[in-house]
Short mmCIF file of all heavy atoms in Angstrom, two decimals:
data_model
loop_
_atom_site.label_atom_id
_atom_site.label_comp_id
_atom_site.label_asym_id
_atom_site.label_seq_id
_atom_site.Cartn_x
_atom_site.Cartn_y
_atom_site.Cartn_z
N THR Z 1 7.08 -3.15 -27.17
CA THR Z 1 6.31 -1.99 -26.74
C THR Z 1 4.88 -2.44 -26.43
O THR Z 1 4.50 -3.58 -26.74
CB THR Z 1 6.26 -0.91 -27.84
OG1 THR Z 1 5.54 -1.43 -28.96
CG2 THR Z 1 7.64 -0.48 -28.26
N SER Z 2 4.09 -1.56 -25.85
CA SER Z 2 2.70 -1.91 -25.55
C SER Z 2 1.91 -2.20 -26.83
O SER Z 2 0.93 -2.92 -26.81
CB SER Z 2 2.03 -0.80 -24.75
OG SER Z 2 2.10 0.41 -25.46
N GLY Z 3 2.37 -1.65 -27.96
CA GLY Z 3 1.71 -1.90 -29.24
C GLY Z 3 2.19 -3.18 -29.93
O GLY Z 3 1.71 -3.53 -31.00
N GLY Z 4 3.16 -3.88 -29.33
CA GLY Z 4 3.62 -5.14 -29.87
C GLY Z 4 4.87 -5.06 -30.73
O GLY Z 4 5.32 -6.07 -31.27
N LEU Z 5 5.45 -3.88 -30.87
CA LEU Z 5 6.68 -3.75 -31.65
C LEU Z 5 7.86 -4.28 -30.85
O LEU Z 5 7.98 -4.02 -29.66
CB LEU Z 5 6.94 -2.29 -32.02
CG LEU Z 5 5.90 -1.62 -32.92
CD1 LEU Z 5 6.22 -0.15 -33.06
CD2 LEU Z 5 5.86 -2.30 -34.27
N ILE Z 6 8.74 -5.01 -31.52
CA ILE Z 6 9.93 -5.55 -30.86
C ILE Z 6 11.03 -4.50 -30.87
O ILE Z 6 11.33 -3.91 -31.91
CB ILE Z 6 10.42 -6.84 -31.55
CG1 ILE Z 6 9.34 -7.92 -31.42
CG2 ILE Z 6 11.74 -7.31 -30.96
CD1 ILE Z 6 9.63 -9.18 -32.17
N ILE Z 7 11.63 -4.26 -29.68
CA ILE Z 7 12.70 -3.27 -29.55
C ILE Z 7 14.04 -3.97 -29.70
O ILE Z 7 14.35 -4.88 -28.93
CB ILE Z 7 12.62 -2.58 -28.18
CG1 ILE Z 7 11.25 -1.94 -27.98
CG2 ILE Z 7 13.73 -1.54 -28.04
CD1 ILE Z 7 11.00 -1.47 -26.56
N PRO Z 8 14.87 -3.57 -30.68
CA PRO Z 8 16.19 -4.21 -30.83
C PRO Z 8 17.11 -3.84 -29.66
O PRO Z 8 16.94 -2.81 -29.03
CB PRO Z 8 16.72 -3.64 -32.15
CG PRO Z 8 15.96 -2.39 -32.37
CD PRO Z 8 14.63 -2.55 -31.69
N ASP Z 9 18.09 -4.71 -29.39
CA ASP Z 9 19.02 -4.49 -28.28
C ASP Z 9 19.72 -3.14 -28.36
O ASP Z 9 19.98 -2.51 -27.34
CB ASP Z 9 20.07 -5.60 -28.23
CG ASP Z 9 19.48 -6.92 -27.74
OD1 ASP Z 9 18.39 -6.89 -27.12
OD2 ASP Z 9 20.09 -7.97 -27.99
N THR Z 10 20.03 -2.69 -29.56
CA THR Z 10 20.76 -1.43 -29.73
C THR Z 10 19.93 -0.22 -29.35
O THR Z 10 20.47 0.84 -29.05
CB THR Z 10 21.25 -1.27 -31.18
OG1 THR Z 10 20.13 -1.38 -32.06
CG2 THR Z 10 22.29 -2.32 -31.52
N ALA Z 11 18.60 -0.34 -29.35
CA ALA Z 11 17.72 0.78 -29.04
C ALA Z 11 17.20 0.74 -27.60
O ALA Z 11 16.58 1.68 -27.14
CB ALA Z 11 16.54 0.79 -30.00
N LYS Z 12 17.47 -0.35 -26.90
CA LYS Z 12 16.98 -0.50 -25.53
C LYS Z 12 17.78 0.35 -24.56
O LYS Z 12 19.00 0.47 -24.69
CB LYS Z 12 17.10 -1.96 -25.06
CG LYS Z 12 16.07 -2.88 -25.60
CD LYS Z 12 16.25 -4.22 -24.92
CE LYS Z 12 15.59 -5.32 -25.67
NZ LYS Z 12 15.88 -6.62 -25.07
N GLU Z 13 17.10 0.90 -23.57
CA GLU Z 13 17.79 1.56 -22.47
C GLU Z 13 18.04 0.50 -21.40
O GLU Z 13 17.30 -0.47 -21.29
CB GLU Z 13 16.93 2.68 -21.89
CG GLU Z 13 16.86 3.88 -22.79
CD GLU Z 13 16.25 5.08 -22.08
OE1 GLU Z 13 16.19 5.08 -20.84
OE2 GLU Z 13 15.82 5.99 -22.78
N LYS Z 14 19.08 0.71 -20.62
CA LYS Z 14 19.35 -0.22 -19.54
C LYS Z 14 18.25 -0.10 -18.51
O LYS Z 14 17.77 1.00 -18.22
CB LYS Z 14 20.70 0.07 -18.90
CG LYS Z 14 21.85 -0.27 -19.81
CD LYS Z 14 23.16 -0.14 -19.10
CE LYS Z 14 24.30 -0.56 -20.01
NZ LYS Z 14 25.58 -0.44 -19.37
N PRO Z 15 17.81 -1.22 -17.96
CA PRO Z 15 16.72 -1.17 -16.99
C PRO Z 15 17.12 -0.43 -15.71
O PRO Z 15 18.29 -0.44 -15.32
CB PRO Z 15 16.42 -2.64 -16.69
CG PRO Z 15 17.57 -3.41 -17.20
CD PRO Z 15 18.28 -2.57 -18.21
N GLN Z 16 16.15 0.22 -15.10
CA GLN Z 16 16.37 0.93 -13.85
C GLN Z 16 15.71 0.18 -12.71
O GLN Z 16 15.38 0.75 -11.69
CB GLN Z 16 15.80 2.34 -13.97
CG GLN Z 16 16.56 3.19 -14.97
CD GLN Z 16 15.89 4.50 -15.18
OE1 GLN Z 16 15.11 4.67 -16.11
NE2 GLN Z 16 16.16 5.45 -14.31
N GLU Z 17 15.56 -1.11 -12.90
CA GLU Z 17 14.95 -1.97 -11.91
C GLU Z 17 15.94 -3.10 -11.62
O GLU Z 17 16.63 -3.55 -12.52
CB GLU Z 17 13.64 -2.54 -12.47
CG GLU Z 17 12.85 -3.34 -11.50
CD GLU Z 17 11.54 -3.81 -12.13
OE1 GLU Z 17 10.98 -3.11 -13.01
OE2 GLU Z 17 11.09 -4.89 -11.74
N GLY Z 18 16.01 -3.52 -10.37
CA GLY Z 18 16.94 -4.59 -10.04
C GLY Z 18 16.56 -5.33 -8.79
O GLY Z 18 15.60 -4.98 -8.09
N GLU Z 19 17.32 -6.39 -8.53
CA GLU Z 19 17.15 -7.19 -7.32
C GLU Z 19 18.43 -7.09 -6.51
O GLU Z 19 19.52 -7.24 -7.05
CB GLU Z 19 16.89 -8.65 -7.69
CG GLU Z 19 16.75 -9.54 -6.49
CD GLU Z 19 16.60 -11.01 -6.86
OE1 GLU Z 19 16.56 -11.34 -8.06
OE2 GLU Z 19 16.55 -11.83 -5.94
N ILE Z 20 18.28 -6.84 -5.23
CA ILE Z 20 19.45 -6.73 -4.36
C ILE Z 20 20.01 -8.12 -4.08
O ILE Z 20 19.29 -9.02 -3.66
CB ILE Z 20 19.10 -6.01 -3.04
CG1 ILE Z 20 18.68 -4.58 -3.34
CG2 ILE Z 20 20.27 -6.05 -2.07
CD1 ILE Z 20 18.32 -3.76 -2.14
N VAL Z 21 21.30 -8.28 -4.34
CA VAL Z 21 21.99 -9.54 -4.15
C VAL Z 21 22.63 -9.59 -2.76
O VAL Z 21 22.58 -10.61 -2.08
CB VAL Z 21 23.07 -9.75 -5.24
CG1 VAL Z 21 23.85 -11.02 -5.02
CG2 VAL Z 21 22.43 -9.74 -6.63
N ALA Z 22 23.24 -8.48 -2.35
CA ALA Z 22 23.90 -8.41 -1.03
C ALA Z 22 23.89 -6.97 -0.53
O ALA Z 22 23.84 -6.04 -1.33
CB ALA Z 22 25.34 -8.91 -1.14
N VAL Z 23 23.91 -6.80 0.79
CA VAL Z 23 23.93 -5.46 1.39
C VAL Z 23 25.08 -5.35 2.38
O VAL Z 23 25.50 -6.35 2.98
CB VAL Z 23 22.61 -5.13 2.12
CG1 VAL Z 23 21.45 -5.09 1.16
CG2 VAL Z 23 22.32 -6.10 3.24
N GLY Z 24 25.58 -4.13 2.53
CA GLY Z 24 26.62 -3.87 3.52
C GLY Z 24 26.01 -3.79 4.91
O GLY Z 24 24.79 -3.88 5.10
N ALA Z 25 26.85 -3.58 5.90
CA ALA Z 25 26.41 -3.54 7.30
C ALA Z 25 25.73 -2.23 7.65
O ALA Z 25 25.05 -2.13 8.67
CB ALA Z 25 27.60 -3.77 8.22
N GLY Z 26 25.88 -1.21 6.83
CA GLY Z 26 25.28 0.10 7.10
C GLY Z 26 26.36 1.12 7.45
O GLY Z 26 27.44 0.77 7.91
N ALA Z 27 26.03 2.37 7.23
CA ALA Z 27 26.97 3.46 7.53
C ALA Z 27 27.03 3.67 9.04
O ALA Z 27 26.21 3.15 9.79
CB ALA Z 27 26.51 4.74 6.84
N LYS Z 28 28.00 4.45 9.48
CA LYS Z 28 28.12 4.79 10.90
C LYS Z 28 27.75 6.26 11.07
O LYS Z 28 28.09 7.10 10.24
CB LYS Z 28 29.53 4.54 11.41
CG LYS Z 28 29.87 3.07 11.49
CD LYS Z 28 31.20 2.85 12.16
CE LYS Z 28 31.48 1.36 12.28
NZ LYS Z 28 32.71 1.10 13.00
N ASP Z 29 27.05 6.57 12.17
CA ASP Z 29 26.71 7.97 12.44
C ASP Z 29 27.87 8.66 13.15
O ASP Z 29 28.94 8.07 13.32
CB ASP Z 29 25.39 8.07 13.23
CG ASP Z 29 25.47 7.43 14.60
OD1 ASP Z 29 26.59 7.15 15.10
OD2 ASP Z 29 24.40 7.22 15.21
N GLU Z 30 27.66 9.89 13.56
CA GLU Z 30 28.74 10.68 14.18
C GLU Z 30 29.26 10.08 15.48
O GLU Z 30 30.40 10.31 15.87
CB GLU Z 30 28.25 12.11 14.42
CG GLU Z 30 28.02 12.88 13.14
CD GLU Z 30 27.47 14.27 13.39
OE1 GLU Z 30 27.40 14.70 14.56
OE2 GLU Z 30 27.12 14.92 12.40
N ASP Z 31 28.42 9.30 16.17
CA ASP Z 31 28.82 8.66 17.42
C ASP Z 31 29.49 7.30 17.19
O ASP Z 31 29.89 6.65 18.15
CB ASP Z 31 27.61 8.48 18.34
CG ASP Z 31 26.99 9.82 18.73
OD1 ASP Z 31 27.75 10.80 18.87
OD2 ASP Z 31 25.76 9.88 18.88
N GLY Z 32 29.55 6.85 15.93
CA GLY Z 32 30.16 5.56 15.63
C GLY Z 32 29.19 4.40 15.68
O GLY Z 32 29.58 3.25 15.53
N ASP Z 33 27.89 4.69 15.87
CA ASP Z 33 26.88 3.64 15.89
C ASP Z 33 26.43 3.32 14.47
O ASP Z 33 26.34 4.21 13.62
CB ASP Z 33 25.66 4.08 16.72
CG ASP Z 33 26.02 4.32 18.18
OD1 ASP Z 33 26.88 3.59 18.70
OD2 ASP Z 33 25.45 5.26 18.77
N ARG Z 34 26.14 2.04 14.20
CA ARG Z 34 25.68 1.62 12.88
C ARG Z 34 24.26 2.12 12.62
O ARG Z 34 23.40 2.04 13.47
CB ARG Z 34 25.64 0.10 12.77
CG ARG Z 34 26.95 -0.55 12.57
CD ARG Z 34 27.32 -0.67 11.11
NE ARG Z 34 28.63 -1.28 11.08
CZ ARG Z 34 29.58 -0.97 10.24
NH1 ARG Z 34 29.35 -0.12 9.29
NH2 ARG Z 34 30.75 -1.53 10.31
N VAL Z 35 24.05 2.60 11.42
CA VAL Z 35 22.71 2.98 10.97
C VAL Z 35 22.20 1.81 10.14
O VAL Z 35 22.81 1.45 9.13
CB VAL Z 35 22.75 4.27 10.12
CG1 VAL Z 35 21.37 4.61 9.60
CG2 VAL Z 35 23.34 5.41 10.92
N ALA Z 36 21.11 1.19 10.58
CA ALA Z 36 20.58 0.00 9.91
C ALA Z 36 20.15 0.32 8.48
O ALA Z 36 19.66 1.41 8.18
CB ALA Z 36 19.39 -0.54 10.68
#
């Protein structure tokens, strides 16, 4: 914590931050064109 207390694994929340490893090609719109 900011006060220096160590948080045990059982009390930690899963992080909501990440790094993208791979991306899909994108969805298709109504005309069948790819949306980047």
